[in-house]
């Protein structure tokens, strides 16, 4: 961890990891059903597929595939970042384990293409004392389809 | 045929509306009184004849349902308040139809009302800064339906604009519509209106508004007695379903569940009614955004998979087309205050089946679908039939 990196905290606990190392991508905190093997995001107690309660925490991602996207022409709610004031990308992302998640995307509308590979990252949206408040978003994989 | 095994046949006895719009000086009680008294008068009934009331509203505070009902008098009747997001009015009708079919009540009043002015000042109202889901607007969710459709079927923003322009046009023919343009709305204007979430513009989206709508339901035998000579409007199908799990299900952020909900709910309705998509003469759907209406053409089976764009270009869903959709302007033009929206669809379809829809009249209308999605989510669908 570099000496200049600011501490980070998630906007909401229990949805994604905030690794100590800023270069390490976050993972999504989900659930796996130990009876039928289905994965879910976010966490749940009862399996939505087979109704079993024999479930456990599971880390998902950080890779994903873009199922669909849009670019919202409104400021991102709760963000003080200038780049969010004119709008932000949103995508539905398929995780390799099965769940589909709806999350903000890094980049401009022309950067997105259905089916492109993505990776999760943490995006600071405002400051809280000496910490950056971060949300989870997905970004095009460097050198990926553009 | 009843929607229940060994049940009674149910009819829409009367309908009434307070025009949807921005009415800062009218209360929920004012608008409800107008809609409710109009429906009673249309049915030829007095409030004394009403055995039970199902009241739907989303935005008004707790107790508002039973309080508003006092506008009609205090007769001691059972009053239940119900909320199922956008499908609230439709969900109330579902309960009322079931209660009349089962014989529990003879005459049930179904009332929906809501006031969004002053509550939803902007798109971020009622949001919690710590909620991840608040970052995604409903418009963005449906815009992603559009992006996916464009990827799979080559749909163009012009197709969405044509649907919106059609619904704006139909709104202009409906005295109860919120948006009543006095001249045709060109598709260029729809495309160049403010972008909300690409490719969806404001004119492809429903407005916020206020309003009330009411339907009175009862046994078919009573309908025959009350208004001899007037066509009877039967409720031949009534279904409500919540989401079923399939891989790839979105648990956070979506407004409504997958398209399968409409397929499954319509299958139940077609079965109940003994009808198929080919028998349907007109359709009202949850067109909060134009892409939704496009998807529902196919999900309801009114056109084949992948055929929606060609059908739009042919004008199949316009007034005078093969199967007109959103004949009263839909959510986009008639408006979508919340609680009363599904009952506005019943108002429209009832008038159409009686041949009382004026300039919007669909020729020889016999079977009409009313379809709503309620966030969370549920799909509610009814089929009305001219008896
Ligand atoms: Zn399971």
């Amino acid at each position: 961890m570099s000496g200049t990196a600011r501490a980070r905290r998630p906007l909401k606990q229990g949805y994604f990891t905030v690794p100590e190392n800023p270069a390490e991508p976050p993972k999504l905190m989900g659930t796996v059903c130990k009876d039928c093997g289905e994965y879910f995001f976010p966490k749940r107690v009862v399996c939505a597929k087979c109704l079993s309660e024999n479930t456990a925490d599971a880390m998902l991602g950080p890779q994903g595939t873009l199922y669909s996207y849009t670019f919202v022409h409104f400021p991102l709610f709760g963000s003080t970042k200038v780049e969010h004031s004119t709008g932000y990308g949103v995508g539905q992302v398929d995780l390799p384990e099965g769940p589909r998640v709806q999350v903000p995307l890094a980049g401009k509308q022309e950067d997105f293409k259905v089916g492109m590979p993505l990776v999760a990252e943490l995006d600071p949206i405002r400051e809280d004392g000496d910490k950056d408040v971060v949300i989870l978003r997905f970004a095009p994989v460097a050198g990926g389809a553009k | 045929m009843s929607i229940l095994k060994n049940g009674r046949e149910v009819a829409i006895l009367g309908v009434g509306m307070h025009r949807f719009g921005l009415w800062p000086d009218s209360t929920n009680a004012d608008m409800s009184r107008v809609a409710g008294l109009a429906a009673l008068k249309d049915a030829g009934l007095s409030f004394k004849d009403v055995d039970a009331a199902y009241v739907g509203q989303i935005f008004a505070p707790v107790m508002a349902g039973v309080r508003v009902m006092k506008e009609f008098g205090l007769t001691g009747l059972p009053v239940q308040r119900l909320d199922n997001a956008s499908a609230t009015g439709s969900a109330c009708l579902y309960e009322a139809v079931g209660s009349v079919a089962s014989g529990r009540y003879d005459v049930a009043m179904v009332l929906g009302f809501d006031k969004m002015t002053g509550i939803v000042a902007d798109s971020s109202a009622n949001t919690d800064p710590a909620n991840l889901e608040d970052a995604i607007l409903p418009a963005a969710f449906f815009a992603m339906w559009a992006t996916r459709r464009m990827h799979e079927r080559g749909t163009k923003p012009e197709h969405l604009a044509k649907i919106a322009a059609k619904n704006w046009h139909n709104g202009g023919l409906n005295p109860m519509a919120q948006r009543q343009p006095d001249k045709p709305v060109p598709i260029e204007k729809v495309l160049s209106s403010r972008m909300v979430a690409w490719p969806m513009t404001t004119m492809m989206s429903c407005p916020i508004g206020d309003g009330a709508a009411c339907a009175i339901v009862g046994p078919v035998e009573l309908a025959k007695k009350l208004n001899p000579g007037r066509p009877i409007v039967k409720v031949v199908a009534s279904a409500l379903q919540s989401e079923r799990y399939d891989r790839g299900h979105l648990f956070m952020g979506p407004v409504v569940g997958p398209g399968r909900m409409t397929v499954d709910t319509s299958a139940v309705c077609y079965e109940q009614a003994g009808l198929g998509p080919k028998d349907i003469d007109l359709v009202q759907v949850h067109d909060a955004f134009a892409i939704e209406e496009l998807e529902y053409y196919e999900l309801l089976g009114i056109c084949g998979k992948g055929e929606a764009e060609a059908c739009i270009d042919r004008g199949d869903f316009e007034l005078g087309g093969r199967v007109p959709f959103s004949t009263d302007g839909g959510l986009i033009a008639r408006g979508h205050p919340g609680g009363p929206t599904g009952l506005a669809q019943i108002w429209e379809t009832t008038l159409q089946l009686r041949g009382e829809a004026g300039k919007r009249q669909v020729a020889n209308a016999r079977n009409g679908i009313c379809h709503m999605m309620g966030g969370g989510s549920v799909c509610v669908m009814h089929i009305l039939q001219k008896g």
Side-chain angles (χ1 to χ4, degrees):
Chain A
M1 185 172 166
S2 101
T4 55
R6 284 167 56 82
R8 303 179 295 178
R9 74 156 176 90
L11 178 67
K12 203 171 182 179
Q13 293 284 352
Y15 292 91
F16 52 86
T17 61
V18 179
E20 280 290 310
N21 176 3
E24 187 185 322
K27 291 203 162 205
L28 290 84
M29 297 159 77
T31 293
V32 62
C33 173
K34 291 160 98 176
D35 284 341
C36 77
E38 200 74 358
Y39 286 88
F40 300 98
F41 179 85
K43 288 186 193 183
R44 53 184 297 121
V45 172
V46 178
C47 173
K49 187 181 178 190
C50 77
L51 314 186
S52 166
E53 294 172 40
N54 186 20
T55 53
D57 288 352
M59 292 295 174
L60 311 175
Q63 298 81 18
T65 306
L66 191 58
Y67 175 78
S68 192
Y69 66 90
T70 182
F71 195 87
V72 179
H73 292 248
F74 281 92
L76 177 64
F77 186 69
S79 173
T80 56
K81 240 178 163 179
V82 174
E83 68 168 272
H84 289 153
S85 63
T86 52
Y88 56 100
V90 172
Q92 291 177 355
V93 179
D94 287 331
L95 302 178
E97 295 85 358
R100 181 172 296 158
V101 297
Q102 189 168 290
V103 286
L105 297 177
K108 295 195 264 305
Q109 187 177 310
E110 51 273 25
D111 299 335
F112 311 135
K113 196 172 182 308
V114 170
M116 76 190 299
L118 304 165
V119 65
E121 65 176 29
L122 295 176
D123 183 29
I125 59 166
R126 61 172 181 263
E127 295 182 356
D128 178 14
D130 59 350
K131 285 189 176 141
D132 283 338
V133 177
V134 294
I135 60 169
L136 179 110
R137 67 178 182 180
F138 275 76
V141 170
K146 281 216 174 178
Chain B
M1 196 175 68
S2 173
I3 57 148
L4 295 180
K5 203 188 265 179
N6 306 318
R8 298 193 290 180
E9 281 195 300
V10 179
I12 305 292
L13 304 178
V15 288
M17 275 187 75
H18 182 290
R19 185 186 165 190
F20 291 180
L22 300 174
W23 312 115
D25 299 328
S26 299
T27 65
N28 276 321
D30 292 336
M31 296 186 296
S32 296
R33 193 177 55 246
V34 169
L37 291 177
L40 286 166
K41 189 173 174 209
D42 184 50
L45 289 168
S46 139
F47 189 63
K48 285 197 199 86
D49 304 313
V50 177
D51 298 315
Y54 295 88
V55 189
Q57 39 94 193
I58 306 172
F59 299 104
V62 75
M63 298 181 275
V66 69
R67 280 186 171 156
V68 160
M69 283 303 296
K70 290 192 227 178
E71 291 295 309
F72 304 103
L74 282 71
T75 63
L77 85 170
V79 176
Q80 295 270 44
R81 177 251 169 125
L82 228 149
D83 164 13
N84 229 326
S86 296
T88 290
S90 312
C92 289
L93 181 71
Y94 172 80
E95 291 301 329
V97 166
S99 72
V100 171
S102 73
R104 185 179 195 182
Y105 304 121
D106 280 330
V107 176
M109 184 167 180
V110 192
L111 175 71
F113 62 85
D114 257 313
K115 267 189 86 64
M116 291 169 80
T117 55
I119 297 171
V120 187
D122 62 69
S123 58
S124 61
N126 301 319
T127 50
D128 170 359
N131 194 341
L132 294 167
E133 295 189 70
D134 296 337
I136 319 287
L137 302 170
F141 172 74
F142 288 110
M144 286 186 275
W145 279 22
T147 308
R148 185 70 198 181
R149 176 89 192 182
M150 290 161 86
H151 172 76
E152 287 179 356
R153 302 283 183 194
T155 315
K156 303 274 178 256
E158 286 74 12
H159 292 114
L160 305 178
K162 281 182 187 174
I163 293 170
K166 166 184 75 70
N167 293 359
W168 278 79
H169 168 79
N170 294 353
L173 306 176
N174 178 5
M176 294 296 166
Q178 179 160 350
R179 289 167 162 170
Q180 293 184 32
D182 51 11
K183 53 181 187 288
V185 172
I187 66 165
E188 296 74 28
K189 193 175 166 191
V190 176
L191 289 168
S192 63
S193 62
R194 188 178 169 199
M195 189 62 73
V196 183
W198 182 86
M200 308 270 295
T201 65
T202 50
M203 289 184 72
M204 297 177 194
S205 314
C206 64
I208 64 159
D210 314 329
C214 182
I216 313 287
V217 301
V220 162
E221 291 314 310
L222 180 59
K224 286 179 185 163
K225 268 186 239 157
L226 287 171
N227 291 287
R230 185 167 84 178
I232 292 181
V233 177
K234 292 182 182 176
V235 182
V236 292
S238 176
L240 187 156
Q241 293 195 353
S242 58
E243 297 171 10
R244 287 169 209 266
Y245 178 76
D246 282 314
R247 177 153 310 164
H249 193 92
L250 273 171
F251 284 93
M252 272 184 92
V255 180
V256 298
R260 173 184 174 180
M261 297 176 76
T262 292
V263 175
D264 292 348
T265 310
S266 64
V268 172
C269 283
Y270 289 138
E271 167 92 30
Q272 274 180 10
L275 299 171
K278 286 195 162 55
D279 302 310
I280 302 301
D281 303 302
L282 74 155
V283 183
Q284 317 301 323
V285 291
H286 183 261
D287 62 318
F289 301 93
I291 180 62
E292 285 190 81
E293 184 172 312
L294 186 151
E295 293 286 358
Y296 300 139
Y297 298 148
E298 296 182 5
L299 295 170
L300 292 167
I302 303 296
C303 74
K305 238 181 155 187
E307 292 173 4
E309 290 78 4
C311 293
I312 293 165
D313 289 338
R314 261 204 314 266
D316 276 10
F317 311 116
E318 297 170 11
L319 286 172
R322 186 169 63 85
V323 184
F325 267 65
S326 304
T327 53
D328 65 349
L331 277 60
I332 288 172
R334 172 245 297 135
H336 179 29
T341 307
L343 296 172
Q345 295 183 334
I346 299 298
W347 178 87
E348 170 69 3
T349 307
T350 298
L351 296 192
Q352 288 280 359
L353 299 183
R354 286 194 211 148
E356 297 171 3
K359 289 178 182 164
R360 311 185 306 285
Q361 186 62 49
V362 174
N364 306 314
R366 182 167 154 74
N367 295 306
I369 285 176
C370 298
H371 159 280
M372 281 296 284
M373 300 300 298
S377 64
V378 295
C379 178
V380 191
M381 191 170 142
H382 290 87
I383 301 178
L384 306 189
Q385 184 174 75
K386 181 178 173 179

